[in-house]
Structures are given as C-alpha cells and as structure tokens.
C-alpha cells in the first residue's frame, strides 16, 4: 500500500502530522504539496493526488484543507475517485468498509493533529467489506460512466 498526500495552507499542519506517522510506520508515500503556509488553491493538490490514486491500484489518498470539503469536491470530479470527508474515527473506518473510499479528506480547522493521525491510520488499515456494498459502489460507478466523458 502506498499513500499520496496533498493539502492547501489550511490543511498543512495535519498533513505534516500524518506524514510523521507514515514515516514512523515505514509506509511509502508521495507528498504532492503544498509545503508552506502561503495561501494556495486546493483544487491543484486535489487533482494531483486524485490522478495518483486512479493511476495506481495500490495507492490511497489523503487530502487536507481547512474543512476537508473543498478539496473533496475537487477530488470527486476525477473519474474513479471516491473521496470522503471524515471528522471522526467511525467515519474513517466506515467509509473504507462500506464505500470503498480511495481518498480521505480532513480539515485542519476542524480536527487536531492527533485526530488526523488516528483517522489516517484507520483509513489505511481498514478493508472494503464487499458483499452488498459492492452493488452500491457499482451504482456510483454507473453514474460516473453515464456522466463523465473521460
Ligand atoms: C482556504 O481558506 C479554505 O477555503 C480551504 O482550505 C478549504 O477549507 C475549502 O474548502
């Protein structure tokens, strides 16, 4: 499992906390930026991470902005992405188990650094349950097939 990370200035602090956790656990990752607190536009980083996730079967994404919302909206415009905003441990676990999410989105102005690390850990280490949830995720994919041209 590899991780692709991205953030804007509003999510930099929690992204950096997650990176320290990944290093400690020897998890391979790519950090697509941003790297400073200078104000930047979150769709740029959402797109880079979303492409890395759709182009690599073994990669999950972690995106952070101020709320997690804008960056999730941008990521979900990429075909094949199921990006979920999570603010607590239950959401982080369930979005892997039931939605087969491939990107977790978190807000640096919503949760603290320790919580971000806990959510990232749950997200990375929880498997999709399949079964009846496969049918529902396939229905999401069918909507994409009908409405996305690329
Ligand atoms: C940036 O100020 C902020 O709008 C962004 O980080 C995010 O919260 C958007 O959804």
């Amino acid at each position: 499992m590899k991780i692709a990370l991205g953030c804007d200035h509003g999510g930099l602090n929690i992204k950096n906390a997650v990176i320290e956790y990944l290093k400690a656990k020897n998890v391979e990752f790519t950090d697509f930026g941003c790297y400073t607190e200078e104000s930047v536009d979150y769709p740029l980083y959402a797109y880079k991470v979303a492409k890395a996730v759709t182009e690599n079967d073994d990669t999950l994404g972690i995106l952070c902005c101020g709320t997690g919302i804008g960056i999730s909206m941008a990521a979900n415009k990429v075909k094949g992405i199921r990006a979920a905003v999570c603010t607590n441990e239950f959401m982080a676990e369930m979005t892997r188990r039931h939605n087969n999410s491939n990107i977790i989105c978190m807000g640096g102005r919503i949760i603290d650094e320790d919580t971000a690390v806990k959510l990232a850990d749950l997200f990375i280490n929880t498997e999709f349950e399949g079964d009846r949830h496969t049918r529902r995720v396939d229905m999401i994919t069918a909507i994409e097939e009908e409405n996305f041209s690329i």
Side-chain angles (χ1 to χ4, degrees):
M1 175 58 57
K2 295 176 188 164
I3 304 299
L5 297 113
C7 71
D8 74 355
H9 51 289
L12 182 67
N13 64 326
I14 58 171
K15 186 192 73 175
N16 285 340
V18 172
I19 284 174
E20 290 311 309
Y21 153 81
L22 296 175
K23 285 180 184 168
K25 295 286 181 186
N26 283 318
V27 178
E28 197 176 328
F29 69 87
T30 304
D31 179 7
F32 288 92
C34 66
Y35 307 109
T36 73
E37 288 180 356
E38 184 187 343
S39 181
V40 292
D41 298 328
Y42 56 80
L44 298 172
Y45 305 94
Y47 189 63
K48 288 180 188 186
V49 168
K51 293 299 274 186
V53 169
T54 55
E55 289 168 4
N56 299 285
D57 284 344
D58 62 348
T59 300
L60 289 173
I62 297 176
L63 285 171
C64 307
C65 66
T67 58
I69 296 171
I71 211 158
S72 73
M73 289 178 170
N76 277 316
K77 298 301 181 190
V78 175
K79 192 172 184 181
I81 290 301
R82 289 178 300 280
V85 182
C86 296
T87 58
N88 62 44
E89 293 180 38
F90 183 73
M91 293 169 82
E93 183 180 341
M94 295 310 286
T95 199
R96 285 289 303 135
R97 284 173 56 179
H98 285 192
N99 314 128
N100 201 13
S101 289
N102 45 22
I103 299 181
I104 186 171
C105 302
M106 300 185 284
R109 296 170 186 159
I110 305 293
I111 59 173
D112 63 22
E113 293 168 8
D114 288 347
T115 304
V117 169
K118 273 186 206 150
L119 303 198
D121 176 62
L122 276 166
F123 185 76
I124 291 167
N125 292 302
T126 302
E127 295 293 326
F128 179 49
E129 279 180 16
D131 196 25
R132 68 189 184 280
H133 305 294
T134 301
R135 181 178 70 248
R136 294 160 186 165
V137 173
D138 287 348
M139 290 169 75
I140 297 174
T141 305
I143 295 170
E144 269 187 349
E145 295 293 339
E146 193 182 317
N147 290 279
F148 279 46
S149 58
I150 54 167

